[in-house]
């Protein structure tokens, strides 16, 4: 049972502590030690790739559902795994790593992991819970609050956009609000510090657009502070250059429910807590604030992508001309009806899992407004919100998606194949289960009303997480396709995915190439880069449209090559043409210093690894290609004195390579993979890197988590 039915074990709707929670808080009062649940009572349930955490309240429940090694590992508990023989060669190190990973495989055959880092996700969920009067389980409330305090900036008491970022109004105001909703006292010393940092940043009126949206929903700010997101945009003809169907899928699926909710003007009735927040989040008395005058107010820390004069002019016209004089009830009703239909399509096509953790809570609220608290849509959304939550030793966070199941499983299979371990009978049961998972997770049908709701073809594709989420992703499809073909090619493995289904995947991938030759993520680029002039998010860059990515392009190019070797008679001319133009894009996208900019990992190291794999697939190596030589020279020039590589997330923000203070195992692996794909002729730099990797491997075969490895949209 994920939802509580009474205040005996849940946070009450007015945000006050229950008796039990108040007692726990009193126990640690003055020590600034956050109470926590008994981590030995948590279990991860994986139902065909759907992952949810459950807290067992009784000894009987705990005995009937024992903790697994994977549960204990994710929670930071002691895991009783044997000490492995010390690795003396890279292959022995790989075997030790696989021995460790084999203990983490989940029953459906996949692997799970934390996919956290962003600090702006939990606030949308918790505020949506609060305003839809969804009772929050006590164990969940305790662990979310514990995580937020664990990730509070130790220097100034605030929170940033992500766990390594500087404190911002967005992070501080929103996570402060979450802590208060979940029962933190306004007099808690940590809350006082957070409030002090927020005041130094000018208070919540200086938050970005998304912060102002959620605070207006909560009733803490007035809707006049929110720059307009008119649902009428969805009534525009498709030929209009800035029509929403042209936007990047994540942006349009966020602004879709946001526009519906804003048009409805939903405001949660004042409670004792929201009344207090009105006094706590601002540097002046709430009653004296002219919220409309702060539509464009934003702290420098939050203003990563300043609004352009074009967007400011459009916003002014919408606020001062369109809304008061031209926007009739007939038009607004029609716009709300159509946006609601598109919200329903999103829910139905994903079984309410939704694209991600930003639009999911918004769709929950939209359904609450339209269908009512007791409707099926609201109940289903309430259940689905737990798909995004992840528990670790620090507490409960919100993942950037509902998991990485397909992505990680595909790469583990490929790693075993590359290392020659897939033919070892010891690993056949594990890899067979992994293959069964990919077989189960391939999407078998297109969306209902695909063209009407502007969805990309998905038959034959794989999603990033699981089939229920249901979104085509180019590189996820490509990597899963490679894993399936290469593993099924071995005589000892079952042929689960038929050639017909493999061809379905190819048919989908071939629809996703851009005119440039490159591949984007969810769908081909639909709009001009000039749409960035209308970027209203402020805290994110390159968010308005899909872009070409070296990472996605490489994944597709290599999968096309793998498929052609397996099934050379299927669409050979089209595949060769696609590969040719993909490689041409890779060459063209190379920067003068020999690197490529990465968008899905940090940053130049990540993309350069993929680009070198692309060029190697086309027969280009260090000895034959100037592009490859320049790329290898770039990587060698970034090798650190200890033999490793380490790149900071700041590279993503600045567009310039920024060295990390310490080398990182993951980025060392990326750099070495790129150099080896390129047939780099010097052994010494590669051997130094491998020595570093092996030196950091633990006795049980694992490597410790180091710095964050990915920042998306340049800033999160």
């Amino acid at each position: 049972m994920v939802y509580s039915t009474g205040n005996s074990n849940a946070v009450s709707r007015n945000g006050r502590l229950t008796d039990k929670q108040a007692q726990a808080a009193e126990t640690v009062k003055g020590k600034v030690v956050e109470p926590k649940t008994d981590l030995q009572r948590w279990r991860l349930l994986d139902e065909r790739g759907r992952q949810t955490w459950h807290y067992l309240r009784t000894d009987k429940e705990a005995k009937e559902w024992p903790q697994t090694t994977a549960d204990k590992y994710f929670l930071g508990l002691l895991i009783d795994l044997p000490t492995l023989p010390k690795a003396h060669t890279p292959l022995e190190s790989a075997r030790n790593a696989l021995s460790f990973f084999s203990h983490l495989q989940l029953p459906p055959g996949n692997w799970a992991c934390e996919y956290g880092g962003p600090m702006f996700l939990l606030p949308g969920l918790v505020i949506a819970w609060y305003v839809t009067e969804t009772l929050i389980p006590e164990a969940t409330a305790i662990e979310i609050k514990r995580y937020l305090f664990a990730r509070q900036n130790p220097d100034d008491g605030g929170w940033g956009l992500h766990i390594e970022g500087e404190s911002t109004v967005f992070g501080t105001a929103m996570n402060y609000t979450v802590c208060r909703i979940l029962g933190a006292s306004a007099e808690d010393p940590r809350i006082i510090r957070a409030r002090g940092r927020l005041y130094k940043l000018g208070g919540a009126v200086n938050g970005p657009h998304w912060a102002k949206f959620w605070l207006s929903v909560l009733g803490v700010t007035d809707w006049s502070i929110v720059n307009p997101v008119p649902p009428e945009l969805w009534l525009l003809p498709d030929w209009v250059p800035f029509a929403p169907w042209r936007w990047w899928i994540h942006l349009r699926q966020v602004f879709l429910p946001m526009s519906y909710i804003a048009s409805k003007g939903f405001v949660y009735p004042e409670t004792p807590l929201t009344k207090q927040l009105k006094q706590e989040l601002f540097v002046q008395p709430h009653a004296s604030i002219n919220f409309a005058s702060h539509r464009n107010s934003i702290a420098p820390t939050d203003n990563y992508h300043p609004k352009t004069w074009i967007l400011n002019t459009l916003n002014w016209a919408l606020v001062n001309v369109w809304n008061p004089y031209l926007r009739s009830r007939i038009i607004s009703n029609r716009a709300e009806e159509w946006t609601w239909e598109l919200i329903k399509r999103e829910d139905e096509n994903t079984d309410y899992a939704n694209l991600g953790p930003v639009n999911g809570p918004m769709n929950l609220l939209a359904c609450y407004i339209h269908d009512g608290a007791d409707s099926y849509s609201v109940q289903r959304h309430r259940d689905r919100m737990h798909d995004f939550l992840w528990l670790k030793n620090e507490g409960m966070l919100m993942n950037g998606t509902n998991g990485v199941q397909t992505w990680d499983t595909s790469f583990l299979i490929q790693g075993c194949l590359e290392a020659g371990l897939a033919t070892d009978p010891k690993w056949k049961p594990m890899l067979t289960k992994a293959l069964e998972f990919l077989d189960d997770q391939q999407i078998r049908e297109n969306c209902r009303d695909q063209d009407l709701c502007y969805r990309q073809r998905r038959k034959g594709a794989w999603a990033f997480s699981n089939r229920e989420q249901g979104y085509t992703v180019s590189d996820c499809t490509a990597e899963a396709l490679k894993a399936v073909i290469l593993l099924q090619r071995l005589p000892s493995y079952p042929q689960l995915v038929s050639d017909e289904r493999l061809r379905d995947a190819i048919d989908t991938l071939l629809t996703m190439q851009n005119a440039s030759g490159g591949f984007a993520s969810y769908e081909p680029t639909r709009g001009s880069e000039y749409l960035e002039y209308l970027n209203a998010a402020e805290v994110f860059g390159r968010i308005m449209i899909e872009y070409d990515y070296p990472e996605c392009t490489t994944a597709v190019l290599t999968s096309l090559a793998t498929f052609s070797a397996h099934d050379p008679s299927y669409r050979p001319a089209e595949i060769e043409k696609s590969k040719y133009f993909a490689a041409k894009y890779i060459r063209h996208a190379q920067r003068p210093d020999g690197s490529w900019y990465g968008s899905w990992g940090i940053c130049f190291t990540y993309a350069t690894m993929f680009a070198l794999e692309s060029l190697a697939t086309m027969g280009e190596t260090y000895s034959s290609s100037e592009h490859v030589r320049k790329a290898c020279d770039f990587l060698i020039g970034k090798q650190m004195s200890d033999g490793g590589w380490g790149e900071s997330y700041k590279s993503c923000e600045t567009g310039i390579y920024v060295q990390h203070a310490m080398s990182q195992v993951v980025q060392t692996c990326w750099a070495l993979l790129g150099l080896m794909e390129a047939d780099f002729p010097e052994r010494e730099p590669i051997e130094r890197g491998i020595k570093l990797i092996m030196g950091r491997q633990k006795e049980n075969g694992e490597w410790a988590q180091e710095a964050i490895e990915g920042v998306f949209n340049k800033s999160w």
Side-chain angles (χ1 to χ4, degrees), residues 191-210:
I191 289 293
I192 292 173
R193 288 192 71 219
R195 201 158 59 237
R197 180 56 184 161
L198 180 60
Y199 290 169
K200 288 181 180 179
L201 294 171
V205 295
N206 283 339
H209 188 254
W210 290 9

Side-chain angles (χ1 to χ4, degrees), residues 39 42-46 51-53 67-79 100-101 103-107 110-115 146 389-397 399 404-405 408 702:
L39 295 183
W42 284 97
R43 306 289 188 269
L44 179 65
L45 179 64
D46 189 334
Q51 299 166 170
T52 51
W53 284 95
Q67 255 184 345
T68 65
T69 298
D71 293 336
K72 295 174 183 177
Y73 174 73
F74 297 139
L75 296 169
L77 300 175
L78 181 66
I79 51 176
F100 172 77
F101 272 116
H103 294 287
L104 303 184
Q105 188 177 31
L106 298 175
N110 64 291
W111 281 262
C113 73
E114 174 193 346
Y115 192 56
R146 190 165 71 87
L389 294 174
W390 186 261
L391 191 64
K392 59 183 295 186
N393 61 321
E394 294 177 312
M396 184 170 277
L397 56 94
N399 276 336
V404 296
Q405 299 87 312
D408 280 11
E702 73 167 314

Side-chain angles (χ1 to χ4, degrees), residues 43-335:
R43 306 289 188 269
L44 179 65
L45 179 64
D46 189 334
E47 303 168 288
R48 294 185 67 186
R50 184 195 178 195
Q51 299 166 170
T52 51
W53 284 95
H54 299 262
Y55 189 67
L56 308 182
R57 297 194 166 276
T58 68
D59 292 339
K60 183 175 183 293
E61 289 176 315
K63 184 177 180 180
E64 292 174 351
W65 186 359
Q67 255 184 345
T68 65
T69 298
D71 293 336
K72 295 174 183 177
Y73 174 73
F74 297 139
L75 296 169
L77 300 175
L78 181 66
I79 51 176
D80 186 21
L81 294 181
T83 297
L84 300 172
K86 182 176 176 60
H88 298 287
T89 68
L91 188 56
E92 290 176 357
S93 178
R95 286 197 183 100
N96 285 351
L98 191 55
S99 176
F100 172 77
F101 272 116
S102 68
H103 294 287
L104 303 184
Q105 188 177 31
L106 298 175
N110 64 291
W111 281 262
C113 73
E114 174 193 346
Y115 192 56
M119 294 300 295
F120 61 88
L121 300 176
L122 277 170
L125 171 65
V126 175
I127 291 173
W129 273 343
Y130 187 83
V131 302
T132 59
E133 301 184 355
T134 300
L135 293 175
I136 307 170
E138 180 192 38
T140 299
I142 288 172
E143 292 300 335
I144 289 176
K145 189 150 58 80
R146 190 165 71 87
Y147 177 76
L148 292 180
F149 281 131
R151 284 299 178 176
Q152 189 174 23
N153 190 314
D155 297 325
D156 60 28
W159 287 273
L161 196 63
H162 56 80
I163 58 175
E164 293 188 14
E166 65 176 331
S167 295
T168 62
V169 174
F170 195 8
T172 304
M174 300 304 289
N175 287 300
Y176 179 103
T177 299
V178 170
C179 288
R180 294 285 282 119
I181 288 174
L182 298 181
S185 167
E187 302 308 314
D188 185 309
R190 298 162 299 182
I191 289 293
I192 292 173
R193 288 192 71 219
R195 201 158 59 237
R197 180 56 184 161
L198 180 60
Y199 290 169
K200 288 181 180 179
L201 294 171
V205 295
N206 283 339
H209 188 254
W210 290 9
K212 291 169 178 172
F213 167 83
W214 279 118
L215 291 177
S216 297
V217 164
L218 192 58
V220 173
T221 56
D222 186 83
W223 274 108
S224 63
I225 200 174
V226 182
N227 268 312
V229 279
E232 294 88 294
L233 286 170
W234 270 263
L235 298 178
L236 292 172
D238 288 352
W239 56 262
V240 174
F242 54 87
W245 76 277
R246 299 180 183 274
W247 303 351
W248 185 42
I249 184 65
H250 275 282
L251 183 77
R252 72 174 185 262
Q253 292 295 13
V254 168
F255 275 78
L256 176 66
M258 184 182 281
S259 67
Y260 177 82
I261 294 163
S263 184
K264 290 293 187 181
F266 177 88
V267 177
Y268 189 64
E270 187 177 75
T271 67
L273 175 62
T274 58
K275 187 175 182 180
Q276 293 165 19
L277 288 171
K278 289 178 180 180
Q279 306 309 316
E280 296 169 19
L281 294 177
F282 307 99
V283 297
Q284 67 187 90
H286 187 271
S288 69
I289 300 174
N290 179 358
F291 286 103
S293 70
H294 288 288
R295 281 191 302 106
N296 296 313
S297 298
I298 187 167
T301 53
D302 294 69
N303 202 17
Y304 178 79
H305 191 285
K307 295 187 293 296
T308 63
W309 68 267
I310 296 174
L311 180 59
N312 284 331
T313 301
L314 288 173
N315 284 336
W316 182 93
L318 288 168
V319 169
N320 295 289
V321 180
W322 174 254
N323 285 342
Y325 300 114
L326 302 178
R327 189 181 192 240
S328 69
R329 193 64 245 177
I330 293 175
I331 293 175
S332 63
N333 284 344
R334 186 180 170 207

Side-chain angles (χ1 to χ4, degrees), residues 439-618:
D439 168 44
D440 182 58
Q441 293 301 309
Q442 188 182 25
I443 302 170
R444 307 291 184 89
E445 69 287 318
N446 287 317
C447 293
R448 184 173 75 87
D449 298 326
Q450 175 179 300
D451 295 335
L452 192 67
C453 53
Y454 306 114
R455 285 288 299 273
Q456 180 68 17
R457 174 194 160 97
R458 68 178 189 179
K459 185 180 181 182
W462 279 269
F464 183 64
S465 55
N466 58 29
R467 185 174 65 178
E468 287 183 326
Q469 192 260 5
Y471 271 89
T472 303
V473 187
S474 63
D475 53 352
C476 300
T477 299
E479 301 296 354
L481 179 67
K482 281 191 292 184
V484 168
I485 291 174
L486 294 173
L487 194 58
Q488 290 189 163
R489 188 171 65 185
L490 299 179
S492 58
Y493 287 91
Q495 307 297 299
L496 300 181
V497 183
S498 67
D499 282 350
E500 181 183 0
R501 286 168 57 195
L502 297 176
R503 289 179 173 186
D504 285 338
I506 290 297
D507 290 343
T508 291
L509 288 175
L510 290 176
T511 69
M512 301 184 75
Q513 191 165 27
N514 289 316
S516 64
F519 285 81
S521 53
Y522 292 89
E523 55 201 16
T525 304
R526 297 175 172 183
S528 165
E529 192 169 354
Y530 287 117
L531 282 173
E532 293 295 347
Y533 285 108
L534 304 181
N535 182 348
E538 298 162 316
V539 291
F540 311 121
R542 287 170 63 87
I543 197 175
M544 288 298 297
I545 61 169
E546 275 277 18
Y547 288 91
D548 297 315
Y549 301 112
E551 309 99 297
C552 296
T553 304
T554 292
V556 177
L557 190 158
T558 54
S559 72
L560 292 175
T562 300
F563 176 81
S564 289
H566 168 76
D567 188 354
S569 66
Y570 190 68
R571 303 181 70 174
E574 293 157 284
I575 288 174
E576 284 305 309
K577 181 180 178 181
S578 178
K579 287 166 53 184
Y580 171 81
F581 283 105
K584 185 176 181 181
Y585 157 76
I586 290 288
R587 298 184 199 102
H588 178 74
Q590 188 174 28
R591 295 160 64 103
D593 65 0
S595 70
W596 285 263
Y597 180 89
S599 297
W600 303 108
I602 299 173
C603 169
F604 298 102
T605 313
Y606 186 68
T608 300
M609 170 194 69
F610 275 102
L612 286 171
E613 185 184 5
S614 267
L615 297 177
T617 300
M618 301 301 287

Side-chain angles (χ1 to χ4, degrees), residues 670-687:
W670 292 343
L672 292 176
L673 286 169
L675 291 170
M676 288 186 283
E677 286 281 359
D679 286 341
F680 185 69
E682 298 177 28
R683 292 180 58 88
E684 188 267 344
I686 295 174
E687 289 176 349

